[in-house]
Amino acid sequence: MTNLTHMTIRAALDGLKKKEFTASELVDAHIAASEAARHLNCYITETFDLARDAAKESDARYAKGEALPLDGIPIAMKDLFCTEGVQTTAASKILKGFIPPYESTVSGNMKRDGLISLGKANLDEFAMGSSNTTSAYGHVLNPWKREGDDRDLVPGGSSGGSAAAVAARIAMGATGTDTGGSIRQPAAFCGITGIKPTYGRCSRFGIVAFASSLDQAGPFARTVEDCALLLESMAGYDPKDSTSVNLPVPRYADAIGGSVKGLKVGVPKEYRVEGTNPEILALWDKGAQMLKDAGAEIVEVSLPYTKYALQTYYVIAPAECSSNLARYDGVRFGQRAEGDNLIDTYEKTRAEGFGQEVKRRILIGTYVLSAGYYDAYYNQARRVRKLIWQDFMNAYQQCDVLLTPTAPTPAFAIGENQQDPVTMYLNDVFTIPASMAGVPGLSLPVGLSGDGLPLGLQLLGRPFEEETVFKVAHALEQAAHFTALPQTLQRKAA
Ligand code: GLN
């Protein structure tokens, strides 16, 4: 019998339709795999019973010939999406026990299409981090290990639980959110595919806010086509989010398999940043050659202002976070530490409820928004952000997509890169520019490092041209033919 946990979503949908197996069997296989992989700590809250019930409903629909578009596919839901009746923590102590009375639009869209959530996936607290080590519910482990080295590695962040779950074959797909790289960098670290669509493509309604002008939801899966199927379900206009864009959602999966002949792929010269792992730079050249061989034209482009993106991000994102997180005051949500008076209650609640990284961001954000510094930092950062956006628009006059590395290094060990916050922030040097400009970005695994870790490349597209990104990503996926499995799964298979 087919190994149900190693299939693609596309193949599983075909199998379900042909009645080769049932949704209950598919969901049960993933629950069993999840139970066997609990040491990875992918889920903050497991919802296996709800998943089993949903699978039965899905089976009934298949039996009647009334299956929904993605009926019966088990996924992991980042614990940043509010899910009606199911605890939503944002990986923070301050939201422990918070049970939303409503569903986020994206998770609701996915339910509408028959997707089944196995649980709420672990993440960095309030999605702030690049290693899933800031969660109040413990680290997530990457299912990959370096060859000959038994140290546990980080899955990347902030959507680390989602990425690790898909890589470990305990979920067929997952949701993530990406503010500065939180879908693309964990996808690269875990050897899977993930896309952050254009800002405004997916509704932010019901997603716990980090930095509202940057946050975007998107999917993880093990193939480009599976990501296309999931994004089609997640995306769409929502009157409940004023920044969601009223454009029809294309049938993204139809872009898969299209020819890249004549398409122009830009390679930004400024992205050869110092400190990037030489294996990743070599892979970048190889990726460009693969696309050239597939018929695309490679052009060198310049994005001169993107070198300021990281610094600008660490003004804008903390500014927005300090304002968004002001609502956690012990009065309306989750945890409350009783004080002598109202101010004391606020202070105690926030001191106990937030972790160190979240506090650091709130302090930076409050500082850059304070009366004396607003112009010098926040307004200046907004001006630079416009220039970064302009850089991308200029580049897209010369090319259809951009090809860059996703992250400057492969996955690192827990505890590495933690000497100072800036080393950790550098992880997102390649992903943050696209977040600042709001353009879509996809990461896919293209090769392995010398010590056996997955390495990803990133494709960036014009606003709302995810189809072109999917088309080029699929061509690269075909050429790269990445089939390696995390060592933990190889051992099991042997
Ligand atoms: N690592 C970045 C940060 O900590 C990005 C996080 C994200 O995209 N949510 O801000």
Side-chain angles (χ1 to χ4, degrees), residues 26-46:
L26 188 64
V27 164
D28 284 344
H30 284 86
I31 291 175
S34 299
E35 285 169 345
R38 279 207 174 111
H39 62 284
L40 299 177
N41 199 24
C42 291
Y43 295 113
I44 292 177
T45 307
E46 295 173 343

PDB file of all heavy atoms in Angstrom, residues 26-46:
ATOM      1  N   LEU A  26      -6.182   8.460   5.689  1.00  0.00           N
ATOM      2  CA  LEU A  26      -5.127   9.461   5.442  1.00  0.00           C
ATOM      3  C   LEU A  26      -4.854  10.272   6.716  1.00  0.00           C
ATOM      4  O   LEU A  26      -3.699  10.477   7.114  1.00  0.00           O
ATOM      5  CB  LEU A  26      -5.584  10.383   4.303  1.00  0.00           C
ATOM      6  CG  LEU A  26      -4.573  11.371   3.760  1.00  0.00           C
ATOM      7  CD1 LEU A  26      -3.397  10.652   3.108  1.00  0.00           C
ATOM      8  CD2 LEU A  26      -5.227  12.309   2.717  1.00  0.00           C
ATOM      9  N   VAL A  27      -5.934  10.699   7.358  1.00  0.00           N
ATOM     10  CA  VAL A  27      -5.786  11.495   8.584  1.00  0.00           C
ATOM     11  C   VAL A  27      -5.195  10.636   9.708  1.00  0.00           C
ATOM     12  O   VAL A  27      -4.270  11.066  10.413  1.00  0.00           O
ATOM     13  CB  VAL A  27      -7.141  12.134   8.972  1.00  0.00           C
ATOM     14  CG1 VAL A  27      -7.140  12.643  10.404  1.00  0.00           C
ATOM     15  CG2 VAL A  27      -7.473  13.267   8.007  1.00  0.00           C
ATOM     16  N   ASP A  28      -5.673   9.403   9.835  1.00  0.00           N
ATOM     17  CA  ASP A  28      -5.134   8.521  10.894  1.00  0.00           C
ATOM     18  C   ASP A  28      -3.638   8.280  10.706  1.00  0.00           C
ATOM     19  O   ASP A  28      -2.879   8.255  11.678  1.00  0.00           O
ATOM     20  CB  ASP A  28      -5.871   7.173  10.910  1.00  0.00           C
ATOM     21  CG  ASP A  28      -7.249   7.295  11.554  1.00  0.00           C
ATOM     22  OD1 ASP A  28      -7.491   8.319  12.233  1.00  0.00           O
ATOM     23  OD2 ASP A  28      -8.090   6.387  11.363  1.00  0.00           O
ATOM     24  N   ALA A  29      -3.218   8.092   9.451  1.00  0.00           N
ATOM     25  CA  ALA A  29      -1.788   7.858   9.194  1.00  0.00           C
ATOM     26  C   ALA A  29      -0.971   9.071   9.653  1.00  0.00           C
ATOM     27  O   ALA A  29       0.121   8.926  10.224  1.00  0.00           O
ATOM     28  CB  ALA A  29      -1.556   7.601   7.709  1.00  0.00           C
ATOM     29  N   HIS A  30      -1.494  10.270   9.430  1.00  0.00           N
ATOM     30  CA  HIS A  30      -0.759  11.474   9.841  1.00  0.00           C
ATOM     31  C   HIS A  30      -0.807  11.684  11.349  1.00  0.00           C
ATOM     32  O   HIS A  30       0.134  12.207  11.923  1.00  0.00           O
ATOM     33  CB  HIS A  30      -1.272  12.692   9.073  1.00  0.00           C
ATOM     34  CG  HIS A  30      -0.768  12.723   7.652  1.00  0.00           C
ATOM     35  ND1 HIS A  30      -1.412  12.061   6.633  1.00  0.00           N
ATOM     36  CD2 HIS A  30       0.351  13.266   7.113  1.00  0.00           C
ATOM     37  CE1 HIS A  30      -0.717  12.215   5.511  1.00  0.00           C
ATOM     38  NE2 HIS A  30       0.354  12.944   5.772  1.00  0.00           N
ATOM     39  N   ILE A  31      -1.907  11.263  11.966  1.00  0.00           N
ATOM     40  CA  ILE A  31      -1.970  11.363  13.435  1.00  0.00           C
ATOM     41  C   ILE A  31      -0.939  10.411  14.048  1.00  0.00           C
ATOM     42  O   ILE A  31      -0.181  10.786  14.952  1.00  0.00           O
ATOM     43  CB  ILE A  31      -3.399  11.065  13.952  1.00  0.00           C
ATOM     44  CG1 ILE A  31      -4.341  12.203  13.534  1.00  0.00           C
ATOM     45  CG2 ILE A  31      -3.408  10.881  15.478  1.00  0.00           C
ATOM     46  CD1 ILE A  31      -5.801  11.986  13.872  1.00  0.00           C
ATOM     47  N   ALA A  32      -0.872   9.189  13.498  1.00  0.00           N
ATOM     48  CA  ALA A  32       0.105   8.217  14.024  1.00  0.00           C
ATOM     49  C   ALA A  32       1.523   8.756  13.834  1.00  0.00           C
ATOM     50  O   ALA A  32       2.356   8.672  14.742  1.00  0.00           O
ATOM     51  CB  ALA A  32      -0.060   6.875  13.319  1.00  0.00           C
ATOM     52  N   ALA A  33       1.791   9.341  12.677  1.00  0.00           N
ATOM     53  CA  ALA A  33       3.135   9.890  12.418  1.00  0.00           C
ATOM     54  C   ALA A  33       3.410  11.063  13.367  1.00  0.00           C
ATOM     55  O   ALA A  33       4.530  11.222  13.874  1.00  0.00           O
ATOM     56  CB  ALA A  33       3.248  10.343  10.964  1.00  0.00           C
ATOM     57  N   SER A  34       2.386  11.869  13.630  1.00  0.00           N
ATOM     58  CA  SER A  34       2.556  13.010  14.544  1.00  0.00           C
ATOM     59  C   SER A  34       2.875  12.509  15.950  1.00  0.00           C
ATOM     60  O   SER A  34       3.727  13.081  16.640  1.00  0.00           O
ATOM     61  CB  SER A  34       1.279  13.860  14.608  1.00  0.00           C
ATOM     62  OG  SER A  34       0.962  14.377  13.339  1.00  0.00           O
ATOM     63  N   GLU A  35       2.189  11.440  16.355  1.00  0.00           N
ATOM     64  CA  GLU A  35       2.437  10.915  17.706  1.00  0.00           C
ATOM     65  C   GLU A  35       3.852  10.370  17.824  1.00  0.00           C
ATOM     66  O   GLU A  35       4.507  10.518  18.847  1.00  0.00           O
ATOM     67  CB  GLU A  35       1.397   9.841  18.045  1.00  0.00           C
ATOM     68  CG  GLU A  35       0.052  10.479  18.366  1.00  0.00           C
ATOM     69  CD  GLU A  35      -1.112   9.485  18.461  1.00  0.00           C
ATOM     70  OE1 GLU A  35      -0.966   8.332  18.005  1.00  0.00           O
ATOM     71  OE2 GLU A  35      -2.167   9.885  18.984  1.00  0.00           O
ATOM     72  N   ALA A  36       4.321   9.770  16.723  1.00  0.00           N
ATOM     73  CA  ALA A  36       5.679   9.204  16.751  1.00  0.00           C
ATOM     74  C   ALA A  36       6.743  10.305  16.694  1.00  0.00           C
ATOM     75  O   ALA A  36       7.906  10.048  17.006  1.00  0.00           O
ATOM     76  CB  ALA A  36       5.854   8.246  15.577  1.00  0.00           C
ATOM     77  N   ALA A  37       6.347  11.509  16.300  1.00  0.00           N
ATOM     78  CA  ALA A  37       7.336  12.592  16.135  1.00  0.00           C
ATOM     79  C   ALA A  37       7.120  13.693  17.172  1.00  0.00           C
ATOM     80  O   ALA A  37       7.489  14.848  16.939  1.00  0.00           O
ATOM     81  CB  ALA A  37       7.241  13.163  14.724  1.00  0.00           C
ATOM     82  N   ARG A  38       6.541  13.342  18.317  1.00  0.00           N
ATOM     83  CA  ARG A  38       6.237  14.368  19.319  1.00  0.00           C
ATOM     84  C   ARG A  38       7.491  15.077  19.835  1.00  0.00           C
ATOM     85  O   ARG A  38       7.421  16.220  20.271  1.00  0.00           O
ATOM     86  CB  ARG A  38       5.464  13.768  20.497  1.00  0.00           C
ATOM     87  CG  ARG A  38       3.994  13.623  20.195  1.00  0.00           C
ATOM     88  CD  ARG A  38       3.159  13.677  21.482  1.00  0.00           C
ATOM     89  NE  ARG A  38       1.746  13.668  21.155  1.00  0.00           N
ATOM     90  CZ  ARG A  38       0.918  12.644  21.407  1.00  0.00           C
ATOM     91  NH1 ARG A  38       1.371  11.553  21.989  1.00  0.00           N
ATOM     92  NH2 ARG A  38      -0.355  12.722  21.082  1.00  0.00           N
ATOM     93  N   HIS A  39       8.650  14.384  19.774  1.00  0.00           N
ATOM     94  CA  HIS A  39       9.892  15.009  20.248  1.00  0.00           C
ATOM     95  C   HIS A  39      10.241  16.262  19.441  1.00  0.00           C
ATOM     96  O   HIS A  39      10.991  17.105  19.905  1.00  0.00           O
ATOM     97  CB  HIS A  39      11.040  13.994  20.191  1.00  0.00           C
ATOM     98  CG  HIS A  39      11.318  13.516  18.812  1.00  0.00           C
ATOM     99  ND1 HIS A  39      10.518  12.603  18.155  1.00  0.00           N
ATOM    100  CD2 HIS A  39      12.293  13.862  17.936  1.00  0.00           C
ATOM    101  CE1 HIS A  39      10.994  12.392  16.929  1.00  0.00           C
ATOM    102  NE2 HIS A  39      12.068  13.144  16.773  1.00  0.00           N
ATOM    103  N   LEU A  40       9.705  16.388  18.216  1.00  0.00           N
ATOM    104  CA  LEU A  40      10.000  17.589  17.418  1.00  0.00           C
ATOM    105  C   LEU A  40       9.252  18.812  17.961  1.00  0.00           C
ATOM    106  O   LEU A  40       9.588  19.943  17.638  1.00  0.00           O
ATOM    107  CB  LEU A  40       9.630  17.370  15.944  1.00  0.00           C
ATOM    108  CG  LEU A  40      10.359  16.251  15.195  1.00  0.00           C
ATOM    109  CD1 LEU A  40       9.808  16.135  13.760  1.00  0.00           C
ATOM    110  CD2 LEU A  40      11.864  16.503  15.133  1.00  0.00           C
ATOM    111  N   ASN A  41       8.192  18.585  18.724  1.00  0.00           N
ATOM    112  CA  ASN A  41       7.424  19.664  19.360  1.00  0.00           C
ATOM    113  C   ASN A  41       6.769  20.598  18.340  1.00  0.00           C
ATOM    114  O   ASN A  41       6.750  21.818  18.519  1.00  0.00           O
ATOM    115  CB  ASN A  41       8.335  20.459  20.315  1.00  0.00           C
ATOM    116  CG  ASN A  41       7.554  21.269  21.333  1.00  0.00           C
ATOM    117  OD1 ASN A  41       6.403  20.951  21.646  1.00  0.00           O
ATOM    118  ND2 ASN A  41       8.156  22.341  21.836  1.00  0.00           N
ATOM    119  N   CYS A  42       6.253  19.998  17.268  1.00  0.00           N
ATOM    120  CA  CYS A  42       5.666  20.806  16.187  1.00  0.00           C
ATOM    121  C   CYS A  42       4.357  21.482  16.593  1.00  0.00           C
ATOM    122  O   CYS A  42       4.021  22.537  16.075  1.00  0.00           O
ATOM    123  CB  CYS A  42       5.402  19.941  14.964  1.00  0.00           C
ATOM    124  SG  CYS A  42       6.895  19.388  14.153  1.00  0.00           S
ATOM    125  N   TYR A  43       3.599  20.841  17.467  1.00  0.00           N
ATOM    126  CA  TYR A  43       2.281  21.399  17.798  1.00  0.00           C
ATOM    127  C   TYR A  43       2.247  21.963  19.211  1.00  0.00           C
ATOM    128  O   TYR A  43       2.772  21.354  20.140  1.00  0.00           O
ATOM    129  CB  TYR A  43       1.190  20.322  17.724  1.00  0.00           C
ATOM    130  CG  TYR A  43       0.974  19.779  16.343  1.00  0.00           C
ATOM    131  CD1 TYR A  43       1.283  18.466  16.035  1.00  0.00           C
ATOM    132  CD2 TYR A  43       0.457  20.589  15.340  1.00  0.00           C
ATOM    133  CE1 TYR A  43       1.080  17.962  14.751  1.00  0.00           C
ATOM    134  CE2 TYR A  43       0.260  20.098  14.055  1.00  0.00           C
ATOM    135  CZ  TYR A  43       0.574  18.786  13.772  1.00  0.00           C
ATOM    136  OH  TYR A  43       0.378  18.295  12.511  1.00  0.00           O
ATOM    137  N   ILE A  44       1.587  23.095  19.374  1.00  0.00           N
ATOM    138  CA  ILE A  44       1.304  23.608  20.721  1.00  0.00           C
ATOM    139  C   ILE A  44       0.015  22.953  21.209  1.00  0.00           C
ATOM    140  O   ILE A  44      -0.091  22.533  22.352  1.00  0.00           O
ATOM    141  CB  ILE A  44       1.189  25.150  20.703  1.00  0.00           C
ATOM    142  CG1 ILE A  44       2.566  25.761  20.405  1.00  0.00           C
ATOM    143  CG2 ILE A  44       0.615  25.672  22.030  1.00  0.00           C
ATOM    144  CD1 ILE A  44       2.581  27.268  20.277  1.00  0.00           C
ATOM    145  N   THR A  45      -0.959  22.861  20.321  1.00  0.00           N
ATOM    146  CA  THR A  45      -2.223  22.204  20.658  1.00  0.00           C
ATOM    147  C   THR A  45      -2.553  21.191  19.566  1.00  0.00           C
ATOM    148  O   THR A  45      -2.626  21.555  18.393  1.00  0.00           O
ATOM    149  CB  THR A  45      -3.375  23.249  20.729  1.00  0.00           C
ATOM    150  OG1 THR A  45      -2.978  24.290  21.613  1.00  0.00           O
ATOM    151  CG2 THR A  45      -4.675  22.634  21.215  1.00  0.00           C
ATOM    152  N   GLU A  46      -2.709  19.936  19.953  1.00  0.00           N
ATOM    153  CA  GLU A  46      -3.107  18.918  18.970  1.00  0.00           C
ATOM    154  C   GLU A  46      -4.635  18.889  18.907  1.00  0.00           C
ATOM    155  O   GLU A  46      -5.294  18.984  19.940  1.00  0.00           O
ATOM    156  CB  GLU A  46      -2.603  17.541  19.411  1.00  0.00           C
ATOM    157  CG  GLU A  46      -1.091  17.439  19.422  1.00  0.00           C
ATOM    158  CD  GLU A  46      -0.581  16.116  20.015  1.00  0.00           C
ATOM    159  OE1 GLU A  46      -1.369  15.421  20.717  1.00  0.00           O
ATOM    160  OE2 GLU A  46       0.589  15.802  19.791  1.00  0.00           O
TER     161      GLU A  46
END
